[in-house]
Amino acid sequence: MKDADVLARLRELGIELPLPSIPVASYVPVVVSGSLAFVAGQIPMIDGKIVHPGRLGENVSLEDGAAAAATAAVQALSVIRNALGSFDRLRRIVQVTVYVAATPDFIEHPRVANGASERLIEVLGDAGKHARAAVGMSSLPLGSSVEVQVTAEVDPG
């Protein structure tokens, strides 16, 4: 896909591609191996603050959880672009895992994960369609309500 096309689509949607996240622990944001790029889990942050912190089923609504997942998905795109130098080498999103901090009785994990999935498809079209898992957790880093991990197919260059 073309870098300019993805950036234009983001602008058209009114979405600003954030600066790539900086790891808060001992890992790298992206590892490219052959034709796959493995993106470390992204938590939704804007201006250094967690978006919609807490747990679903407790103090975060379904809508806010989905919005947080969408924010984290855009952050994943940012770190992919940074690792590859542009979106030109990105072929498609292959797999997305959305971790949802939730109470034991919360069962709407897939609906929260739809925030990330729908955002990726909205930005990348068919290349954003992917396999997915939505997983419930008792807590996530820094009190985040969601964490999004992405695997993308890339041109090995």
mmCIF file with all atom_site columns, all heavy atoms in Angstrom, residues 2-20:
data_model
loop_
_atom_site.group_PDB
_atom_site.id
_atom_site.type_symbol
_atom_site.label_atom_id
_atom_site.label_alt_id
_atom_site.label_comp_id
_atom_site.label_asym_id
_atom_site.label_entity_id
_atom_site.label_seq_id
_atom_site.pdbx_PDB_ins_code
_atom_site.Cartn_x
_atom_site.Cartn_y
_atom_site.Cartn_z
_atom_site.occupancy
_atom_site.B_iso_or_equiv
_atom_site.pdbx_formal_charge
_atom_site.auth_seq_id
_atom_site.auth_comp_id
_atom_site.auth_asym_id
_atom_site.auth_atom_id
_atom_site.pdbx_PDB_model_num
ATOM 1   N N   . LYS A 1 2  ? 0.308   2.342  -0.366 1.00 0.00 ? 2  LYS A N   1
ATOM 2   C CA  . LYS A 1 2  ? 1.099   3.559  -0.489 1.00 0.00 ? 2  LYS A CA  1
ATOM 3   C C   . LYS A 1 2  ? 0.988   4.406  0.761  1.00 0.00 ? 2  LYS A C   1
ATOM 4   O O   . LYS A 1 2  ? -0.109  4.645  1.277  1.00 0.00 ? 2  LYS A O   1
ATOM 5   C CB  . LYS A 1 2  ? 0.653   4.350  -1.701 1.00 0.00 ? 2  LYS A CB  1
ATOM 6   C CG  . LYS A 1 2  ? 0.941   3.616  -2.983 1.00 0.00 ? 2  LYS A CG  1
ATOM 7   C CD  . LYS A 1 2  ? 0.640   4.453  -4.188 1.00 0.00 ? 2  LYS A CD  1
ATOM 8   C CE  . LYS A 1 2  ? 0.995   3.575  -5.350 1.00 0.00 ? 2  LYS A CE  1
ATOM 9   N NZ  . LYS A 1 2  ? 0.934   3.976  -6.598 1.00 0.00 ? 2  LYS A NZ  1
ATOM 10  N N   . ASP A 1 3  ? 2.138   4.870  1.226  1.00 0.00 ? 3  ASP A N   1
ATOM 11  C CA  . ASP A 1 3  ? 2.208   5.708  2.418  1.00 0.00 ? 3  ASP A CA  1
ATOM 12  C C   . ASP A 1 3  ? 1.286   6.914  2.289  1.00 0.00 ? 3  ASP A C   1
ATOM 13  O O   . ASP A 1 3  ? 0.490   7.196  3.188  1.00 0.00 ? 3  ASP A O   1
ATOM 14  C CB  . ASP A 1 3  ? 3.658   6.155  2.641  1.00 0.00 ? 3  ASP A CB  1
ATOM 15  C CG  . ASP A 1 3  ? 3.861   6.843  3.977  1.00 0.00 ? 3  ASP A CG  1
ATOM 16  O OD1 . ASP A 1 3  ? 3.656   6.181  5.017  1.00 0.00 ? 3  ASP A OD1 1
ATOM 17  O OD2 . ASP A 1 3  ? 4.215   8.029  3.979  1.00 0.00 ? 3  ASP A OD2 1
ATOM 18  N N   . ALA A 1 4  ? 1.356   7.601  1.168  1.00 0.00 ? 4  ALA A N   1
ATOM 19  C CA  . ALA A 1 4  ? 0.544   8.807  0.971  1.00 0.00 ? 4  ALA A CA  1
ATOM 20  C C   . ALA A 1 4  ? -0.947  8.495  1.037  1.00 0.00 ? 4  ALA A C   1
ATOM 21  O O   . ALA A 1 4  ? -1.730  9.293  1.571  1.00 0.00 ? 4  ALA A O   1
ATOM 22  C CB  . ALA A 1 4  ? 0.898   9.467  -0.358 1.00 0.00 ? 4  ALA A CB  1
ATOM 23  N N   . ASP A 1 5  ? -1.354  7.329  0.526  1.00 0.00 ? 5  ASP A N   1
ATOM 24  C CA  . ASP A 1 5  ? -2.769  6.954  0.542  1.00 0.00 ? 5  ASP A CA  1
ATOM 25  C C   . ASP A 1 5  ? -3.259  6.712  1.972  1.00 0.00 ? 5  ASP A C   1
ATOM 26  O O   . ASP A 1 5  ? -4.363  7.126  2.335  1.00 0.00 ? 5  ASP A O   1
ATOM 27  C CB  . ASP A 1 5  ? -3.012  5.701  -0.298 1.00 0.00 ? 5  ASP A CB  1
ATOM 28  C CG  . ASP A 1 5  ? -2.809  5.940  -1.783 1.00 0.00 ? 5  ASP A CG  1
ATOM 29  O OD1 . ASP A 1 5  ? -2.759  7.125  -2.211 1.00 0.00 ? 5  ASP A OD1 1
ATOM 30  O OD2 . ASP A 1 5  ? -2.682  4.937  -2.518 1.00 0.00 ? 5  ASP A OD2 1
ATOM 31  N N   . VAL A 1 6  ? -2.451  6.022  2.775  1.00 0.00 ? 6  VAL A N   1
ATOM 32  C CA  . VAL A 1 6  ? -2.844  5.750  4.162  1.00 0.00 ? 6  VAL A CA  1
ATOM 33  C C   . VAL A 1 6  ? -2.904  7.060  4.946  1.00 0.00 ? 6  VAL A C   1
ATOM 34  O O   . VAL A 1 6  ? -3.865  7.304  5.699  1.00 0.00 ? 6  VAL A O   1
ATOM 35  C CB  . VAL A 1 6  ? -1.887  4.746  4.841  1.00 0.00 ? 6  VAL A CB  1
ATOM 36  C CG1 . VAL A 1 6  ? -2.245  4.546  6.308  1.00 0.00 ? 6  VAL A CG1 1
ATOM 37  C CG2 . VAL A 1 6  ? -1.907  3.408  4.103  1.00 0.00 ? 6  VAL A CG2 1
ATOM 38  N N   . LEU A 1 7  ? -1.915  7.911  4.770  1.00 0.00 ? 7  LEU A N   1
ATOM 39  C CA  . LEU A 1 7  ? -1.920  9.196  5.473  1.00 0.00 ? 7  LEU A CA  1
ATOM 40  C C   . LEU A 1 7  ? -3.105  10.054 5.042  1.00 0.00 ? 7  LEU A C   1
ATOM 41  O O   . LEU A 1 7  ? -3.736  10.717 5.873  1.00 0.00 ? 7  LEU A O   1
ATOM 42  C CB  . LEU A 1 7  ? -0.599  9.931  5.247  1.00 0.00 ? 7  LEU A CB  1
ATOM 43  C CG  . LEU A 1 7  ? 0.638   9.249  5.844  1.00 0.00 ? 7  LEU A CG  1
ATOM 44  C CD1 . LEU A 1 7  ? 1.897   10.012 5.451  1.00 0.00 ? 7  LEU A CD1 1
ATOM 45  C CD2 . LEU A 1 7  ? 0.527   9.102  7.345  1.00 0.00 ? 7  LEU A CD2 1
ATOM 46  N N   . ALA A 1 8  ? -3.448  10.022 3.760  1.00 0.00 ? 8  ALA A N   1
ATOM 47  C CA  . ALA A 1 8  ? -4.605  10.770 3.268  1.00 0.00 ? 8  ALA A CA  1
ATOM 48  C C   . ALA A 1 8  ? -5.894  10.220 3.877  1.00 0.00 ? 8  ALA A C   1
ATOM 49  O O   . ALA A 1 8  ? -6.791  10.981 4.252  1.00 0.00 ? 8  ALA A O   1
ATOM 50  C CB  . ALA A 1 8  ? -4.661  10.723 1.744  1.00 0.00 ? 8  ALA A CB  1
ATOM 51  N N   . ARG A 1 9  ? -5.993  8.903  3.970  1.00 0.00 ? 9  ARG A N   1
ATOM 52  C CA  . ARG A 1 9  ? -7.190  8.282  4.554  1.00 0.00 ? 9  ARG A CA  1
ATOM 53  C C   . ARG A 1 9  ? -7.320  8.681  6.023  1.00 0.00 ? 9  ARG A C   1
ATOM 54  O O   . ARG A 1 9  ? -8.421  8.991  6.490  1.00 0.00 ? 9  ARG A O   1
ATOM 55  C CB  . ARG A 1 9  ? -7.133  6.768  4.397  1.00 0.00 ? 9  ARG A CB  1
ATOM 56  C CG  . ARG A 1 9  ? -8.319  6.043  4.974  1.00 0.00 ? 9  ARG A CG  1
ATOM 57  C CD  . ARG A 1 9  ? -9.607  6.383  4.247  1.00 0.00 ? 9  ARG A CD  1
ATOM 58  N NE  . ARG A 1 9  ? -10.709 5.636  4.845  1.00 0.00 ? 9  ARG A NE  1
ATOM 59  C CZ  . ARG A 1 9  ? -11.946 6.066  4.915  1.00 0.00 ? 9  ARG A CZ  1
ATOM 60  N NH1 . ARG A 1 9  ? -12.295 7.229  4.392  1.00 0.00 ? 9  ARG A NH1 1
ATOM 61  N NH2 . ARG A 1 9  ? -12.877 5.340  5.487  1.00 0.00 ? 9  ARG A NH2 1
ATOM 62  N N   . LEU A 1 10 ? -6.218  8.668  6.754  1.00 0.00 ? 10 LEU A N   1
ATOM 63  C CA  . LEU A 1 10 ? -6.253  9.097  8.156  1.00 0.00 ? 10 LEU A CA  1
ATOM 64  C C   . LEU A 1 10 ? -6.752  10.536 8.255  1.00 0.00 ? 10 LEU A C   1
ATOM 65  O O   . LEU A 1 10 ? -7.614  10.847 9.088  1.00 0.00 ? 10 LEU A O   1
ATOM 66  C CB  . LEU A 1 10 ? -4.877  8.955  8.799  1.00 0.00 ? 10 LEU A CB  1
ATOM 67  C CG  . LEU A 1 10 ? -4.428  7.529  9.103  1.00 0.00 ? 10 LEU A CG  1
ATOM 68  C CD1 . LEU A 1 10 ? -2.922  7.478  9.359  1.00 0.00 ? 10 LEU A CD1 1
ATOM 69  C CD2 . LEU A 1 10 ? -5.197  6.965  10.294 1.00 0.00 ? 10 LEU A CD2 1
ATOM 70  N N   . ARG A 1 11 ? -6.226  11.421 7.403  1.00 0.00 ? 11 ARG A N   1
ATOM 71  C CA  . ARG A 1 11 ? -6.670  12.828 7.408  1.00 0.00 ? 11 ARG A CA  1
ATOM 72  C C   . ARG A 1 11 ? -8.158  12.927 7.093  1.00 0.00 ? 11 ARG A C   1
ATOM 73  O O   . ARG A 1 11 ? -8.894  13.677 7.728  1.00 0.00 ? 11 ARG A O   1
ATOM 74  C CB  . ARG A 1 11 ? -5.861  13.649 6.402  1.00 0.00 ? 11 ARG A CB  1
ATOM 75  C CG  . ARG A 1 11 ? -4.541  14.147 6.927  1.00 0.00 ? 11 ARG A CG  1
ATOM 76  C CD  . ARG A 1 11 ? -3.894  15.170 6.000  1.00 0.00 ? 11 ARG A CD  1
ATOM 77  N NE  . ARG A 1 11 ? -3.729  14.723 4.637  1.00 0.00 ? 11 ARG A NE  1
ATOM 78  C CZ  . ARG A 1 11 ? -2.713  13.971 4.197  1.00 0.00 ? 11 ARG A CZ  1
ATOM 79  N NH1 . ARG A 1 11 ? -1.761  13.590 5.023  1.00 0.00 ? 11 ARG A NH1 1
ATOM 80  N NH2 . ARG A 1 11 ? -2.652  13.615 2.932  1.00 0.00 ? 11 ARG A NH2 1
ATOM 81  N N   . GLU A 1 12 ? -8.586  12.157 6.097  1.00 0.00 ? 12 GLU A N   1
ATOM 82  C CA  . GLU A 1 12 ? -9.994  12.158 5.697  1.00 0.00 ? 12 GLU A CA  1
ATOM 83  C C   . GLU A 1 12 ? -10.899 11.752 6.869  1.00 0.00 ? 12 GLU A C   1
ATOM 84  O O   . GLU A 1 12 ? -12.002 12.275 7.014  1.00 0.00 ? 12 GLU A O   1
ATOM 85  C CB  . GLU A 1 12 ? -10.154 11.170 4.531  1.00 0.00 ? 12 GLU A CB  1
ATOM 86  C CG  . GLU A 1 12 ? -11.535 11.027 3.978  1.00 0.00 ? 12 GLU A CG  1
ATOM 87  C CD  . GLU A 1 12 ? -11.549 10.004 2.839  1.00 0.00 ? 12 GLU A CD  1
ATOM 88  O OE1 . GLU A 1 12 ? -10.771 10.175 1.872  1.00 0.00 ? 12 GLU A OE1 1
ATOM 89  O OE2 . GLU A 1 12 ? -12.318 9.032  2.936  1.00 0.00 ? 12 GLU A OE2 1
ATOM 90  N N   . LEU A 1 13 ? -10.430 10.833 7.692  1.00 0.00 ? 13 LEU A N   1
ATOM 91  C CA  . LEU A 1 13 ? -11.189 10.368 8.848  1.00 0.00 ? 13 LEU A CA  1
ATOM 92  C C   . LEU A 1 13 ? -11.028 11.286 10.066 1.00 0.00 ? 13 LEU A C   1
ATOM 93  O O   . LEU A 1 13 ? -11.653 11.050 11.092 1.00 0.00 ? 13 LEU A O   1
ATOM 94  C CB  . LEU A 1 13 ? -10.745 8.941  9.220  1.00 0.00 ? 13 LEU A CB  1
ATOM 95  C CG  . LEU A 1 13 ? -11.064 7.866  8.195  1.00 0.00 ? 13 LEU A CG  1
ATOM 96  C CD1 . LEU A 1 13 ? -10.333 6.569  8.538  1.00 0.00 ? 13 LEU A CD1 1
ATOM 97  C CD2 . LEU A 1 13 ? -12.577 7.636  8.104  1.00 0.00 ? 13 LEU A CD2 1
ATOM 98  N N   . GLY A 1 14 ? -10.156 12.282 9.928  1.00 0.00 ? 14 GLY A N   1
ATOM 99  C CA  . GLY A 1 14 ? -9.921  13.185 11.051 1.00 0.00 ? 14 GLY A CA  1
ATOM 100 C C   . GLY A 1 14 ? -9.076  12.568 12.149 1.00 0.00 ? 14 GLY A C   1
ATOM 101 O O   . GLY A 1 14 ? -9.163  12.958 13.314 1.00 0.00 ? 14 GLY A O   1
ATOM 102 N N   . ILE A 1 15 ? -8.237  11.608 11.775 1.00 0.00 ? 15 ILE A N   1
ATOM 103 C CA  . ILE A 1 15 ? -7.392  10.896 12.738 1.00 0.00 ? 15 ILE A CA  1
ATOM 104 C C   . ILE A 1 15 ? -5.956  11.355 12.564 1.00 0.00 ? 15 ILE A C   1
ATOM 105 O O   . ILE A 1 15 ? -5.406  11.288 11.460 1.00 0.00 ? 15 ILE A O   1
ATOM 106 C CB  . ILE A 1 15 ? -7.479  9.369  12.531 1.00 0.00 ? 15 ILE A CB  1
ATOM 107 C CG1 . ILE A 1 15 ? -8.916  8.891  12.737 1.00 0.00 ? 15 ILE A CG1 1
ATOM 108 C CG2 . ILE A 1 15 ? -6.517  8.643  13.467 1.00 0.00 ? 15 ILE A CG2 1
ATOM 109 C CD1 . ILE A 1 15 ? -9.152  7.463  12.292 1.00 0.00 ? 15 ILE A CD1 1
ATOM 110 N N   . GLU A 1 16 ? -5.363  11.799 13.642 1.00 0.00 ? 16 GLU A N   1
ATOM 111 C CA  . GLU A 1 16 ? -3.960  12.198 13.603 1.00 0.00 ? 16 GLU A CA  1
ATOM 112 C C   . GLU A 1 16 ? -3.098  11.009 14.003 1.00 0.00 ? 16 GLU A C   1
ATOM 113 O O   . GLU A 1 16 ? -3.325  10.399 15.052 1.00 0.00 ? 16 GLU A O   1
ATOM 114 C CB  . GLU A 1 16 ? -3.720  13.355 14.564 1.00 0.00 ? 16 GLU A CB  1
ATOM 115 C CG  . GLU A 1 16 ? -2.313  13.899 14.498 1.00 0.00 ? 16 GLU A CG  1
ATOM 116 C CD  . GLU A 1 16 ? -2.129  15.123 15.361 1.00 0.00 ? 16 GLU A CD  1
ATOM 117 O OE1 . GLU A 1 16 ? -3.103  15.860 15.560 1.00 0.00 ? 16 GLU A OE1 1
ATOM 118 O OE2 . GLU A 1 16 ? -1.003  15.325 15.846 1.00 0.00 ? 16 GLU A OE2 1
ATOM 119 N N   . LEU A 1 17 ? -2.140  10.661 13.167 1.00 0.00 ? 17 LEU A N   1
ATOM 120 C CA  . LEU A 1 17 ? -1.228  9.573  13.492 1.00 0.00 ? 17 LEU A CA  1
ATOM 121 C C   . LEU A 1 17 ? -0.299  10.074 14.594 1.00 0.00 ? 17 LEU A C   1
ATOM 122 O O   . LEU A 1 17 ? 0.436   11.038 14.402 1.00 0.00 ? 17 LEU A O   1
ATOM 123 C CB  . LEU A 1 17 ? -0.428  9.165  12.253 1.00 0.00 ? 17 LEU A CB  1
ATOM 124 C CG  . LEU A 1 17 ? 0.323   7.846  12.339 1.00 0.00 ? 17 LEU A CG  1
ATOM 125 C CD1 . LEU A 1 17 ? -0.647  6.677  12.475 1.00 0.00 ? 17 LEU A CD1 1
ATOM 126 C CD2 . LEU A 1 17 ? 1.178   7.655  11.102 1.00 0.00 ? 17 LEU A CD2 1
ATOM 127 N N   . PRO A 1 18 ? -0.345  9.448  15.771 1.00 0.00 ? 18 PRO A N   1
ATOM 128 C CA  . PRO A 1 18 ? 0.478   9.938  16.880 1.00 0.00 ? 18 PRO A CA  1
ATOM 129 C C   . PRO A 1 18 ? 1.953   9.596  16.677 1.00 0.00 ? 18 PRO A C   1
ATOM 130 O O   . PRO A 1 18 ? 2.300   8.769  15.832 1.00 0.00 ? 18 PRO A O   1
ATOM 131 C CB  . PRO A 1 18 ? -0.085  9.180  18.085 1.00 0.00 ? 18 PRO A CB  1
ATOM 132 C CG  . PRO A 1 18 ? -0.596  7.904  17.507 1.00 0.00 ? 18 PRO A CG  1
ATOM 133 C CD  . PRO A 1 18 ? -1.115  8.265  16.129 1.00 0.00 ? 18 PRO A CD  1
ATOM 134 N N   . LEU A 1 19 ? 2.791   10.219 17.464 1.00 0.00 ? 19 LEU A N   1
ATOM 135 C CA  . LEU A 1 19 ? 4.193   9.816  17.488 1.00 0.00 ? 19 LEU A CA  1
ATOM 136 C C   . LEU A 1 19 ? 4.246   8.376  17.956 1.00 0.00 ? 19 LEU A C   1
ATOM 137 O O   . LEU A 1 19 ? 3.419   7.952  18.770 1.00 0.00 ? 19 LEU A O   1
ATOM 138 C CB  . LEU A 1 19 ? 4.990   10.709 18.429 1.00 0.00 ? 19 LEU A CB  1
ATOM 139 C CG  . LEU A 1 19 ? 5.143   12.162 17.996 1.00 0.00 ? 19 LEU A CG  1
ATOM 140 C CD1 . LEU A 1 19 ? 5.839   12.965 19.091 1.00 0.00 ? 19 LEU A CD1 1
ATOM 141 C CD2 . LEU A 1 19 ? 5.920   12.254 16.695 1.00 0.00 ? 19 LEU A CD2 1
ATOM 142 N N   . PRO A 1 20 ? 5.212   7.597  17.469 1.00 0.00 ? 20 PRO A N   1
ATOM 143 C CA  . PRO A 1 20 ? 5.309   6.205  17.918 1.00 0.00 ? 20 PRO A CA  1
ATOM 144 C C   . PRO A 1 20 ? 5.512   6.152  19.430 1.00 0.00 ? 20 PRO A C   1
ATOM 145 O O   . PRO A 1 20 ? 6.205   6.997  20.001 1.00 0.00 ? 20 PRO A O   1
ATOM 146 C CB  . PRO A 1 20 ? 6.534   5.655  17.189 1.00 0.00 ? 20 PRO A CB  1
ATOM 147 C CG  . PRO A 1 20 ? 6.873   6.651  16.150 1.00 0.00 ? 20 PRO A CG  1
ATOM 148 C CD  . PRO A 1 20 ? 6.250   7.948  16.522 1.00 0.00 ? 20 PRO A CD  1
#
